[in-house]
Amino acid sequence: MKMKNKTKNSVLRNKIRNGERVRLKGLVKQQADELRIKNGQLRNGTKKQIRSEKQIKIRTKKIDEQREELLHVTRVGKLAEFVSSLAHEISQPLTAILSYAQAAQRMLADREPEIQKILSYIINDDQRAAEVIQRLRSLLKKGKPEMKPLDINTLINETVLLIATDAAVRNDVLKIELENNLPLVRGDRIQLQQVLLNLISNSFDALESIQGAREILIRTKRLDTGTIIVEVKDSGCGIPAHNMPKLFTRFFTSKPDGLGMGLSISRSIVEAHGGRLNVKNNPDRGATFYFTIPIGTKDV
Ligand code: ADP
């Protein structure tokens, strides 16, 4: 009887062990399957991530290149404007020198051949310099602006994209508040972008030594039925009252390496578009530059 029970117990134990083994095997298989699926998903996910990281890298590189190009164009634009006004300033005294030298020649008539000779050298060199200046001016003469219908909000978004990295590097916060469904305006895309870039890069400079919030807010609003207003507001150093009247005059700068051309160029561009560019200090901190631009009529 005892023996019989013992055999029965061992059969039962074997059965349980076999059952357990089958159950465990199933469990292991199930977990292995799950792991395989997860592994596959992970691999797919990683591949996708690598792909999107690559795309981000390519896109960032492209944006950086565009930004560099635009900054270069702005710099060249400023320089070209600078050289062109310099040429204008120089050509006036050159003309005066020429007419004084010619008058002196006439007064001397046939006398003082040595002085006559010197005067003719002066006249020749003056004319040579005037020619160089003339060539330079015709080289720098800008083409006609290309006035086309454009969406000012899109232009601002594109511009912000170009300088976003710059703002981040400087720890400046760039915000935009663009009014929806603004009508199209008529303008030269590159020139208006140059105005925006000038204003934003001035805000960058104004924020340079600021402690606390460093913000630039770009806003568009419909001012009235026929006008859109664009504002570039910063929490920078603001403008001392005594500088206000000089701000838009050529060559006025408070920066050691400034050209003092940006605002005067920007104002002439805005005015060529039928708008006005102005500035006010903010009640709390910083300044707001704002320009108006007329809404395009039916022909835009
Ligand atoms: P530049 O930047 O070469 O000095 P600009 O014509 O663009 O030439 O600007 C003229 C001057 O206007 C600047 O030197 C600065 O004093 C003042 N200015 C322009 N923008 C700002 C601003 N956002 N905040 C304070 N001052 C400004």
Side-chain angles (χ1 to χ4, degrees), residues 78 198-207 232-240 243 246-266 279-281 286-289:
K78 274 191 180 188
N198 272 334
L199 299 183
I200 298 168
S201 83
N202 276 341
S203 290
F204 281 160
D205 292 339
L207 287 166
V232 178
K233 179 183 179 190
D234 64 55
S235 61
C237 57
I239 298 150
N243 280 348
K246 303 179 256 178
L247 231 51
F248 293 92
T249 37
R250 261 194 300 185
F251 308 131
F252 171 76
T253 181
S254 62
K255 303 169 194 170
D257 56 352
L259 288 177
M261 295 296 300
L263 286 179
S264 76
I265 296 172
S266 299
V279 63
K280 58 180 181 219
N281 273 322
T288 301
F289 282 82

Side-chain angles (χ1 to χ4, degrees), residues 106-125:
R106 275 196 302 276
M107 284 167 78
L108 287 174
D110 295 328
R111 287 175 288 133
E112 311 282 353
E114 286 306 303
I115 298 179
Q116 288 270 11
K117 213 162 146 192
I118 293 169
L119 284 171
S120 69
Y121 289 152
I122 293 175
I123 290 170
N124 276 344
D125 281 345

Side-chain angles (χ1 to χ4, degrees), residues 96-259:
I97 292 170
L98 181 67
S99 50
Y100 287 136
Q102 284 171 334
Q105 249 184 352
R106 275 196 302 276
M107 284 167 78
L108 287 174
D110 295 328
R111 287 175 288 133
E112 311 282 353
E114 286 306 303
I115 298 179
Q116 288 270 11
K117 213 162 146 192
I118 293 169
L119 284 171
S120 69
Y121 289 152
I122 293 175
I123 290 170
N124 276 344
D125 281 345
D126 181 292
Q127 283 170 335
R128 227 157 33 120
E131 262 172 47
V132 173
I133 297 282
Q134 192 48 44
R135 246 178 285 145
L136 201 64
R137 287 179 79 179
S138 53
L139 201 72
L140 292 170
K141 214 176 249 163
K142 272 199 233 116
K144 269 184 84 164
E146 272 197 60
M147 304 295 262
K148 286 188 177 157
L150 61 89
D151 178 350
I152 196 80
N153 285 351
T154 308
L155 191 69
I156 290 173
N157 279 323
E158 286 169 3
T159 312
V160 165
L161 203 64
L162 290 171
I163 40 102
T165 327
D166 239 5
V169 170
R170 293 164 186 268
N171 275 330
D172 295 342
V173 179
L174 251 179
K175 289 185 185 164
I176 47 175
E177 276 176 25
L178 308 178
E179 190 172 303
N180 284 330
N181 304 319
L182 285 178
L184 298 181
V185 299
R186 211 177 146 73
D188 182 302
R189 172 172 295 277
I190 302 284
Q191 287 194 352
L192 288 178
Q193 196 159 47
Q194 196 183 338
V195 172
L196 285 165
L197 282 169
N198 272 334
L199 299 183
I200 298 168
S201 83
N202 276 341
S203 290
F204 281 160
D205 292 339
L207 287 166
E208 198 76 65
S209 54
I210 290 296
Q211 310 287 328
R214 300 159 66 94
E215 278 181 11
I216 302 174
L217 171 64
I218 305 171
R219 217 162 15 192
T220 54
K221 270 190 299 207
R222 195 165 175 158
L223 191 66
D224 53 49
T225 47
T227 323
I228 288 173
I229 183 162
V230 182
E231 288 180 2
V232 178
K233 179 183 179 190
D234 64 55
S235 61
C237 57
I239 298 150
H242 61 272
N243 280 348
M244 275 290 187
K246 303 179 256 178
L247 231 51
F248 293 92
T249 37
R250 261 194 300 185
F251 308 131
F252 171 76
T253 181
S254 62
K255 303 169 194 170
D257 56 352
L259 288 177

